[in-house]
Amino acid sequence: MTLCLPTYKDVEAAAHRIKPYVHKTPVLTSQTVNESFGGEVFFKAENLQRMGAFKFRGAMNSLLQFSEPQKAAGVIAFSSGNHAQAIALAAQILGIKATIIMPEDAPRAKVEATQGYGATVVSYDRYSEDREKIGRDLAEQYGYTLIPPYDHPHVLAGQGTAAKELFEEVSELDALFVCLGGGGLLSGCALAARHYSPACKIYGVEPEAGNDGQQSLRQGKIVRIETPKTIADGAQTQFLGQYTFPIIRDNVDDVLTVADNQLIDAMHFFAERMKTVVEPTGCLGFAAARQLIPELHGKRVGIIISGGNVDIQRYARLLLQINDQG
C-alpha cells in the first residue's frame, strides 16, 4: 500500500487550525553564540510552548480533526513525556478523555504534569514491553483513537509549524538543526524548510547511543535498534516511522549525533548565558551545531529547541556535572 505523505500544504493548514491554541514562541539570539559562529544563529524556543514543548502543536492539530464519535470515545497515546503532556493538555482543552502510556522511568515531572492535565497514566517497562502493542490493545478494547508520538500525518504536520514560524520571522537560512527521535519534528520542519528556504541544509540530530535515524538515512531503509540509554529521554526511540522516514530520506541532508556530555554542556550554556531551561533532548541541535562551527562560519543558522520539560532535581544534578568536571 502506498502511503499518502503529508506536504507543506498540510503544515500550512495545521498552522491555521492550531493558531488559536498554540503560542507563537520567540526566536532567541545570543551575541556570544553569534561571535563564536562568526554569523547569525536563531533559536526557536519551543521550550516556551504551552506544556513546555513543540509536541503541543502536533497534538492539537490531531485532536482538532477528531470526529464526534472519536471525541466521545477518547484518545490514547504512548510517550516518554512531552507527547504525553501535549495530548493530555489538548484533550483537556477540547473536553476529550485521555489515557497515556508512559514508561516507568519517565521523568517524574512529566508524569505529574500529564496527570495534572487530567489524563489517566498507564505505566510500562520500556526495556521489556511494547508500548505500541499496549496502545493498540487498549484502543481496541475501549474504542479509543490512538495518536502515536510521531508517525502520524496530523502530528508531523503540526510539528512543522514550528519551523514555519521560524522562517517567517527570520527569512532564509543556510542551515537548520532539528532534534531527532522518531522524526515527527524533523520531517515536519523539513517540509517547511524546503518551502521557505530550498537551499537550506537540514540536519537531524540524535544522541550517540541511539543513531537509528543516521543509520536509516545512510542505508536508505528504516533501521531498528534496541532502546538507547541516554539522558535525552525524548529521543529514546528505536526506529523512524513509515510517514517520517520517506520525508527525511528525501529532504534531510544528514543526521548527526552528539554525546551526553555535549548535551550537558549545551544545557549549561543555555542556563548560564541565555537564562533559559532546556531539557537534554532540546539541546541536541545546538550541541551538533557547535561541532560544525568552522563549516558554519559566516552562515545564518536555525536551531529548534524542542522542549524544556526536565525534573528540576535531575536538571540540577546534570548541571553540577559540569562543575565537577571543571
Side-chain angles (χ1 to χ4, degrees):
M1 182 181 71
T2 302
L3 292 176
C4 183
L5 297 176
T7 67
Y8 172 71
K9 290 293 185 183
D10 295 293
V11 177
E12 191 173 47
H16 177 75
R17 188 178 294 116
I18 68 178
K19 185 176 180 179
Y21 304 95
V22 303
H23 292 327
K24 181 181 178 183
T25 52
V27 175
L28 308 179
T29 58
S30 162
Q31 182 177 340
T32 301
V33 173
N34 286 346
E35 288 176 354
S36 67
F37 278 73
E40 296 178 279
V41 181
F42 305 96
F43 297 92
K44 181 61 170 169
E46 285 296 289
N47 55 318
L48 301 179
Q49 184 54 260
R50 292 183 72 172
M51 55 65 51
F54 75 94
K55 291 282 191 178
F56 184 64
R57 296 175 181 273
M60 205 73 221
N61 189 49
S62 299
L63 269 60
L64 282 168
Q65 297 181 72
F66 269 25
S67 65
E68 290 304 319
Q70 285 178 307
K71 292 178 184 176
V75 62
I76 188 167
F78 46 79
S79 166
S80 64
N82 284 338
H83 181 63
Q85 293 173 77
I87 290 290
L89 177 56
Q92 183 187 63
I93 291 170
L94 299 176
I96 298 171
K97 176 185 176 182
T99 301
I100 312 294
I101 302 159
M102 301 185 72
E104 294 170 344
D105 61 349
R108 181 175 54 83
K110 293 183 179 183
V111 175
E112 291 178 353
T114 301
Q115 293 171 325
Y117 292 133
T120 298
V121 172
V122 176
S123 298
Y124 78 102
D125 183 338
R126 75 162 91 220
Y127 299 104
S128 65
E129 294 183 281
D130 184 347
R131 66 182 188 174
E132 294 190 33
K133 183 179 185 305
I134 297 170
R136 288 193 303 269
D137 289 347
L138 289 174
E140 184 175 345
Q141 183 177 355
Y142 296 104
Y144 302 145
T145 296
L146 175 64
I147 300 296
Y150 56 86
D151 199 29
H152 191 288
H154 299 164
V155 171
L156 75 85
Q159 318 307 26
T161 62
K164 181 179 188 294
E165 289 180 5
L166 174 63
F167 283 104
E168 287 175 341
E169 184 164 339
V170 306
S171 191
E172 293 190 30
L173 295 170
D174 296 301
L176 177 68
F177 292 81
V178 184
C179 312
L180 174 57
L185 180 62
L186 178 58
S187 57
C189 287
L191 293 175
R194 286 291 168 247
H195 175 81
Y196 284 97
S197 188
C200 177
K201 294 286 188 182
I202 304 172
Y203 298 99
V205 188
E206 299 177 301
E208 273 185 358
N211 72 332
D212 61 290
Q214 185 182 67
Q215 293 183 59
S216 298
L217 184 63
R218 294 176 185 178
Q219 294 183 33
K221 63 180 182 180
I222 297 175
V223 173
R224 296 174 178 246
I225 62 172
E226 293 299 315
T227 301
K229 294 187 177 181
T230 170
I231 62 171
D233 61 281
Q236 286 183 295
T237 47
Q238 297 173 295
F239 52 89
L240 300 178
Q242 60 179 344
Y243 288 98
T244 63
F245 172 66
I247 296 174
I248 291 170
R249 179 195 61 207
D250 296 343
N251 295 280
V252 171
D253 292 278
D254 201 2
V255 173
L256 311 173
T257 64
V258 293
D260 280 0
N261 67 307
Q262 293 171 309
L263 295 178
I264 295 171
D265 191 52
M267 286 176 64
H268 193 273
F269 183 90
F270 280 129
E272 186 172 70
R273 304 305 296 270
M274 296 182 67
K275 317 306 177 190
T276 187
V277 174
V278 181
E279 63 183 279
T281 307
C283 295
L284 284 165
F286 183 40
R290 294 171 97 181
Q291 296 182 74
L292 299 181
I293 285 178
E295 298 168 47
L296 298 172
H297 185 81
K299 306 289 188 181
R300 289 169 52 83
V301 178
I303 296 172
I304 307 291
I305 299 176
S306 63
N309 292 325
V310 58
D311 179 87
I312 197 65
Q313 293 181 336
R314 180 174 184 243
Y315 180 70
R317 288 195 300 270
L318 290 172
L319 292 185
L320 283 172
Q321 288 185 32
I322 293 290
N323 292 332
D324 291 342
Q325 293 166 8

